[in-house]
Amino acid sequence: MQRKSDKNEFQCSLILHREENIIHLNEQFFNTKHYTKEKTKEKTQEAKETTKENRLMKTVEDSRTEQVHLIMHQHLNAGGRLFGGMLMQWVDEVSGVVAMRHCGTYRVTTAAVDNLQFKEPVYEGEILVMIGYVTYVGNTSMEVEIDSYVERGDGMRYLVNRAFSVMVAVDKNERPTRIPGLIIHTEAEKGRHEAALLRRDMRKERRDAGF
């Protein structure tokens, strides 16, 4: 009788173990299904964000551009510092690359450049880091912020200049053409976008005043 009882207990234990395995597999299936459903929902939402009112939408990171220059003798002015005209050229290059990446075309042109103030000198042998990104997008034009830093031996970066370029996309007939919209994700991007709107209004006021 004892052996039969032990056998019954073993069979009950085996059945219970199988039931626990089935429950575990069901939970895994439910979690996987739920995860897949959530990911599908996220992708659907992302797809909705990338097309708004039949307009292609892009993020700031889609066109963010970083350029690094080692300052050499040919980049200096007579005083031994970085030549301002050299920095202006690089600012225009970076803003052009950002605009091309955002618009998806090489047909972009510079309409205006604001705020060329040299806050920190740059000397031969130092590293100049330039970072450009879109701050505001209109219908055919955009504002690009270009931050320039000098990277010194202590590993720190010091702001040299912060410029704002207005770039316009054109078609093969040199006429302004519509460009993708801008998706704002972070609080920093939101702050830069609001500041860009103020600068847009200031440019309009200067233009109306004849500047």
Side-chain angles (χ1 to χ4, degrees), residues 34-47:
H34 179 71
Y35 174 79
T36 305
K37 188 175 181 181
E38 287 298 314
K39 293 300 290 183
T40 302
K41 187 186 295 183
E42 289 176 6
K43 288 183 178 179
T44 302
Q45 181 63 30
E46 187 176 340

Side-chain angles (χ1 to χ4, degrees), residues 86-192:
M86 194 77 255
L87 180 61
M88 292 171 65
Q89 176 184 322
W90 290 336
V91 164
D92 200 36
E93 287 177 0
V94 173
S95 58
V97 172
V98 172
M100 290 177 190
R101 286 176 169 175
H102 183 82
C103 298
T105 176
Y106 67 90
R107 296 181 183 276
V108 295
T109 186
T110 307
V113 180
D114 293 342
N115 199 48
L116 279 170
Q117 299 179 18
F118 301 93
K119 301 178 180 296
E120 190 77 18
V122 185
Y123 299 101
E124 185 175 359
E126 293 185 325
I127 299 171
L128 185 75
V129 181
M130 307 182 72
I131 304 172
Y133 37 80
V134 180
T135 57
Y136 162 79
V137 167
N139 191 38
T140 62
S141 65
M142 70 182 74
E143 183 191 79
V144 179
E145 179 175 331
I146 308 95
D147 296 332
S148 303
Y149 303 90
V150 57
E151 189 174 297
R152 299 213 162 102
D154 58 3
M156 299 293 292
R157 290 183 177 181
Y158 302 89
L159 182 66
V160 174
N161 176 261
R162 176 165 290 150
F164 303 95
S165 297
V166 178
M167 309 298 294
V168 179
V170 295
D171 59 20
K172 61 182 180 181
N173 297 316
E174 297 296 314
R175 293 181 178 178
T177 186
R178 198 180 193 202
I179 61 177
L182 185 65
I183 300 173
I184 303 295
H185 279 315
T186 67
E187 287 298 317
E189 292 172 1
K190 183 179 178 181
R192 287 195 290 262

